[in-house]
């Protein structure tokens, strides 16, 4: 889990510190604010700070969805009250720490980017260059200011960037959707090549199929670039702009096929979140990371023929 995700869990828990347990007589005690306590326990568990076994009544609380009160024997009053005190102390301490350590606040103009796997500085430079070139074209063509890096997530390959408007966030999301669609075509192309290779079909047949599918992909890239261009203000440089957008989409395809992901801010509205591809549901990409890098030599050979 990224630190930014852990921060979100802690902040949600902090906002729900409103629960207590007290003696109500008759040998019973009552927990009040169960729904908020439930949220706190769930968030802390999700972030890895507590476990179910830590609290005897964890399941009681977490599984209670239709009531804000639970009644127990006074025999466990001290046990539950002590645990609540510890939880409140833990959350307050974590909240203070994480918000000083990661002061960046996300908004709807923020984009979370998961970079492909990076093994060395050469690869880091290559990925950074692709990312800068592909996104800068989209931002520039939509009249935006330079992209700002708000944070590089500690201990991971995640980068948080900020753009100047929600319009540009949506433009990047649309380009990412196009790139995901194209990445699927490229994965299918890879599978076709592998199948032909296993069947020992002569090289000419494989080359012809490869060329045919590559032409279809190039045509689709052009169509997507023209669609993006049609949504921008009229420009006498329109043809050149389409070419720039084509190149941007191709670079995004390279990144996504190698494992990059583009996500809305954690705090973004559902409207913004739904603009982005749902990478958790794209199984063909999870199982085919590195497609482009594995096929670069094959593509170069075909282009030379």
């Amino acid at each position: 889990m990224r630190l930014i995700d852990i921060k979100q869990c802690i902040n949600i828990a902090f906002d729900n510190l409103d629960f207590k347990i007290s003696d109500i007589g008759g040998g019973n005690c009552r927990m009040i604010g169960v729904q908020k306590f439930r949220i706190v326990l769930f968030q802390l568990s999700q972030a890895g700070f507590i476990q179910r076994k830590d609290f005897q009544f964890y399941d009681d609380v977490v599984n209670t969805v239709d009531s804000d009160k639970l009644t127990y024997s006074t025999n466990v009053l001290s046990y539950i009250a002590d645990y609540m005190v510890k939880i409140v102390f833990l959350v307050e301490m974590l909240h203070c720490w994480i918000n000083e350590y990661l002061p960046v606040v996300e908004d709807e103009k923020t984009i979370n980017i998961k970079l492909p796997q990076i093994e060395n500085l050469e690869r880091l430079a290559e990925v950074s260059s692709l990312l800068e070139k592909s996104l800068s074209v989209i931002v520039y063509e939509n009249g935006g200011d330079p992209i700002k890096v708000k944070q590089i997530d500690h201990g991971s390959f995640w980068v948080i960037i900020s753009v100047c408007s929600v319009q540009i966030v949506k433009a990047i999301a649309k380009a990412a959707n196009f790139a995901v669609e194209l990445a699927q075509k490229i994965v299918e192309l890879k599978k076709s090549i592998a199948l032909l290779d296993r069947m020992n079909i002569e090289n000419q047949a494989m080359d012809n199929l490869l060329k045919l599918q590559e032409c279809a992909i190039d045509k689709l890239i052009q169509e997507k670039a023209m669609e993006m261009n049609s949504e921008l203000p009229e420009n006498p440089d329109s043809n050149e702009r389409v070419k720039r957008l084509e190149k941007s989409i191709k670079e995004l395809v390279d990144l996504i096929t190698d494992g990059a992901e583009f996500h809305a801010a954690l705090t973004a509205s559902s409207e913004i979140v739904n603009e982005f591809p749902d990478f958790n549901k794209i199984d063909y990409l999870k199982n085919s990371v590195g497609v482009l890098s594995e096929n670069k030599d094959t593509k170069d050979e075909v282009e030379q023929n």
Side-chain angles (χ1 to χ4, degrees), residues 14 17-19 37 40 44 82-94:
F14 183 79
L17 291 180
D18 185 14
F19 44 82
F37 192 32
V40 171
L44 291 178
D82 286 348
Y83 187 75
M84 283 183 167
V85 169
K86 291 175 183 177
I87 287 294
V88 170
F89 176 78
L90 175 64
V91 172
E92 289 178 343
M93 180 186 66
L94 289 171

Side-chain angles (χ1 to χ4, degrees), residues 215-267:
C215 287
I217 290 171
D218 287 341
K219 183 178 180 182
L220 187 56
I221 290 174
Q222 185 181 45
E223 290 173 357
K224 299 300 185 184
M226 292 177 69
E227 182 178 336
M228 291 178 68
N229 182 64
S230 68
E231 297 176 359
L232 295 170
E234 290 189 13
N235 190 325
D237 188 29
S238 183
N239 289 335
E240 290 300 316
R241 184 165 66 185
V242 169
K243 291 179 182 178
R244 291 193 292 271
L245 291 170
E246 284 180 25
K247 191 170 188 301
S248 176
I249 293 171
K250 288 179 181 178
E251 289 162 344
L252 285 175
V253 170
D254 283 359
L255 288 166
I256 288 174
T257 313
D258 278 347
E261 297 179 9
F262 295 81
H263 298 265
L266 294 175
T267 56

Side-chain angles (χ1 to χ4, degrees), residues 5 27 45 52 72 76 124 128-129 134 168 181 277-278 299:
D5 296 316
S45 176
R52 177 180 282 108
Y72 295 99
V76 296
L124 177 60
S128 299
S129 177
S134 60
I168 292 175
E181 181 181 343
D278 187 347
K299 289 177 68 178

Side-chain angles (χ1 to χ4, degrees), residues 44-91:
L44 291 178
S45 176
Q46 188 177 36
F49 291 110
I50 64 171
Q51 298 179 27
R52 177 180 282 108
K53 65 180 182 180
D54 297 336
F55 181 45
Q56 179 182 344
F57 303 105
Y58 180 94
D59 288 338
D60 285 357
V61 175
V62 172
N63 294 328
T64 300
V65 296
D66 56 357
S67 174
D68 205 38
K69 298 177 183 179
L70 285 174
T71 302
Y72 295 99
S73 165
T74 52
N75 294 334
V76 296
L77 173 60
S78 177
Y79 169 76
I80 296 175
D82 286 348
Y83 187 75
M84 283 183 167
V85 169
K86 291 175 183 177
I87 287 294
V88 170
F89 176 78
L90 175 64
V91 172

Side-chain angles (χ1 to χ4, degrees), residues 135-145 168 244:
L135 297 187
S136 292
V137 168
I138 298 170
V139 171
Y140 171 78
E141 299 299 350
N142 281 272
D145 298 327
I168 292 175
R244 291 193 292 271

Side-chain angles (χ1 to χ4, degrees), residues 108 110 166-167 169-171 173-174 177 263-277:
E108 294 200 333
T110 304
V166 172
Q167 174 194 342
V169 170
K170 290 182 177 181
K174 185 164 192 172
N177 275 299
H263 298 265
L266 294 175
T267 56
S269 65
S270 58
E271 177 191 356
I272 299 296
V273 171
N274 292 336
E275 294 279 342
F276 284 82

Side-chain angles (χ1 to χ4, degrees), residues 28 38 42 56 67 70 122 165 180-181 207 238 290 293:
N28 293 319
R38 175 174 175 266
F42 177 77
Q56 179 182 344
S67 174
L70 285 174
E122 182 180 1
S165 70
V180 165
E181 181 181 343
D207 290 348
S238 183
S293 58

